[in-house]
Amino acid sequence: MSYNADSDLEVKVKKATERISENMHIVANEPSLAFYRLQEHVRKAINPMVDRRVDVNKLHQELQGRCYDMEYAVSAIKAMDKAESSFKNIQDNLKNSIFLKQQLKYEESRRKKPDGNSVYKRLSAHITIDLPELPELSDVVNNNDNVPHYRQNE
């Protein structure tokens, strides 16, 4: 009987282990447990993903701002290219004004130089003329009241 009891016990143990193994397999593969594992994974992964998304959005906004700045700079450079003729005209006008200013300085310096050796000055200093009184001229000076005065239209 001992052998028979051992064989019965062995069969019962075998059946019990098979059932436990089957139950473990069912529990391990049960859908609610799978959802629990998914939920656990999502809970662990969601915070880093949200942080990454926030960082990506910030970078996207900064990139858009820099793109706008670049577009503005390019349009400003293109506008400067269009203004080249105006700058050339300004440069020519500046050159002309500098040249004219130099000419004026030269003319002023020529006029300011006292010409002490002038023939006319030397001659006029030595000539004294006594003008006679001319009665004809005195009548003209006295009769200037008869001359009509013209006024311009204002």
Side-chain angles (χ1 to χ4, degrees):
M1 251 210 337
S2 70
Y3 180 70
N4 200 4
D6 286 337
S7 71
D8 271 343
L9 185 59
E10 196 172 315
V11 171
K12 286 182 184 180
V13 167
K14 221 180 209 188
K15 280 185 181 182
T17 55
E18 282 178 8
R19 284 184 186 164
I20 291 174
S21 175
E22 188 177 325
N23 285 335
M24 287 299 286
H25 184 65
I26 290 171
V27 168
N29 292 322
E30 187 177 332
S32 64
L33 184 62
F35 286 129
Y36 173 76
R37 298 278 184 218
L38 281 172
Q39 180 186 11
E40 190 177 76
H41 172 70
V42 167
R43 191 179 311 134
K44 287 181 183 177
I46 194 90
N47 287 337
M49 285 178 63
V50 168
D51 292 341
R52 290 281 179 157
R53 179 145 177 105
V54 168
D55 292 341
V56 168
N57 284 337
K58 285 180 185 176
L59 290 173
H60 184 260
Q61 288 176 349
E62 289 177 16
L63 185 61
Q64 278 183 330
R66 290 187 176 139
C67 285
Y68 176 75
D69 291 343
M70 289 299 295
E71 289 174 3
Y72 182 73
V74 167
S75 66
I77 290 172
K78 286 180 181 177
M80 289 175 73
D81 284 342
K82 292 177 184 175
E84 183 178 356
S85 63
S86 298
F87 287 135
K88 190 71 171 167
N89 190 16
I90 291 169
Q91 185 178 12
D92 292 340
N93 287 336
L94 285 173
K95 285 180 183 178
N96 288 337
S97 65
I98 289 171
F99 176 72
L100 292 173
K101 179 65 177 174
Q102 288 173 343
Q103 281 184 333
L104 286 172
K105 279 185 176 181
Y106 175 73
E107 290 295 324
E108 284 179 11
S109 68
R110 279 188 52 205
R111 289 182 184 166
K112 286 183 180 178
K113 287 183 182 176
D115 196 8
N117 297 328
S118 170
V119 175
Y120 298 113
K121 281 187 176 181
R122 282 185 281 152
L123 183 65
S124 66
H126 296 291
I127 298 176
T128 57
I129 298 178
D130 290 331
L131 294 173
E133 272 210 35
L134 300 173
E136 299 89 26
L137 287 177
S138 64
D139 288 342
V140 171
V141 171
N142 291 334
N143 291 331
N144 68 359
D145 294 335
N146 296 334
V147 177
H149 297 285
Y150 296 102
R151 292 187 181 175
Q152 292 179 344
N153 291 336
E154 294 180 8

